[in-house]
Amino acid sequence: MVYKNVIKNVLDRHKDGQGNIGSDSFRDMLSVEISSNIELEDKKKEAVLRKKSYEFIQNEMSKGEKEHQDAWSRGKAKDNPLNITMWKGWDGKKEPLTQEYLDQWECDHCGENTHEVEYDYLGNNRNHLGCELKAEDESVQVDEQMELFPELVSWIYESPDGGETITKRKSGDDYTKRILVTDWEAEKENIVRRYN
């Protein structure tokens, strides 16, 4: 139905002619003319839609945006760079930051303000990432090992005297770090509980 009028107009142009619809060459010529007129109609519709879209966008733009677009279309964007004052809803006045806002952006470690630090360089709770890493390094002692699952520590049990005295040490530790096992029965229960 969309192209009915286009096809009818082409056929009307040939109604008084001597074209033979039985001829392949006439049908080819007619099909080319019809398809050309359909393509032309599509381009007209597309142009109308583009114009409506353009008009809609123009109506939604602020005065500053229109000025920037006009300068840009004349090739003078450098004379009128787009800036924040051109956007709707902002009056162009920069308000000073409140102390309440700045207090939220204070590093717990060094006390400096972090509100202008990029997010890639912030740690937990808006602290400097460098301060967080330094605090973490200081909290871990050289001889101290943080064990997340102490029940999974592997122990080596030894008895130098055939079972009279029993010692244990962590797997991989030096033998000088042995611990004397005073209650072997309780230790056996812990071993059984761990592996069951």
Side-chain angles (χ1 to χ4, degrees):
M1 293 300 272
V2 176
Y3 300 113
K4 179 181 175 184
N5 290 335
V6 174
I7 295 169
K8 186 169 182 332
N9 288 340
V10 171
L11 293 175
D12 284 346
R13 278 195 294 272
H14 294 281
K15 70 178 178 180
D16 296 327
Q18 298 295 320
N20 178 7
I21 199 71
S23 164
D24 282 339
S25 62
F26 179 74
R27 288 194 313 268
D28 286 342
M29 184 268 310
L30 200 57
S31 65
V32 167
E33 188 175 344
I34 290 172
S35 64
S36 296
N37 279 287
I38 288 174
E39 287 177 17
L40 185 63
E41 186 66 24
D42 286 344
K43 287 180 181 177
K44 286 179 185 176
K45 286 180 183 178
E46 188 177 320
V48 168
L49 285 174
R50 265 198 315 264
K51 184 177 180 186
K52 285 182 181 179
S53 296
Y54 177 79
E55 289 170 353
F56 175 77
I57 291 170
Q58 290 295 315
N59 289 334
E60 292 295 311
M61 290 174 78
S62 68
K63 181 180 176 188
E65 289 171 321
K66 287 179 185 175
E67 289 171 1
H68 176 74
Q69 183 186 29
D70 291 343
W72 180 77
S73 64
R74 291 190 308 270
K76 297 180 181 177
K78 64 181 183 204
D79 299 332
N80 186 13
L82 184 62
N83 60 44
I84 192 68
T85 60
M86 294 178 181
W87 297 104
K88 292 181 178 179
W90 195 67
D91 60 4
K93 296 177 185 172
K94 191 172 185 177
E95 297 178 11
L97 301 172
T98 64
Q99 188 60 41
E100 181 181 359
Y101 171 79
L102 292 174
D103 289 344
Q104 292 176 0
W105 289 92
E106 187 175 296
C107 179
D108 296 334
H109 302 286
C110 68
E112 291 182 16
N113 198 294
T114 60
H115 82 279
E116 291 184 351
V117 175
E118 291 185 32
Y119 282 109
D120 292 343
Y121 299 101
L122 288 177
N124 294 330
N125 197 27
R126 301 183 185 118
N127 294 325
H128 292 109
L129 183 59
C131 292
E132 290 277 328
L133 294 172
K134 187 177 178 183
E136 184 178 332
D137 284 345
E138 291 171 357
S139 71
V140 177
Q141 301 298 321
V142 176
D143 294 331
E144 179 183 322
Q145 179 180 0
M146 295 173 45
E147 296 176 9
L148 297 176
F149 301 101
E151 67 274 2
L152 297 179
V153 172
S154 294
W155 294 96
I156 296 174
Y157 295 92
E158 300 169 315
S159 176
D161 55 10
E164 292 293 319
T165 307
I166 300 174
T167 60
K168 70 178 182 177
R169 62 183 169 94
K170 291 181 185 176
S171 179
D173 273 0
D174 190 274
Y175 74 94
T176 59
K177 296 184 180 180
R178 292 180 292 189
I179 302 169
L180 181 63
V181 176
T182 55
D183 188 0
W184 177 241
E185 293 303 317
E187 195 73 26
K188 282 196 299 189
E189 286 180 20
N190 285 337
I191 293 169
V192 170
R193 189 176 325 119
R194 188 177 336 156
Y195 293 105
N196 284 337

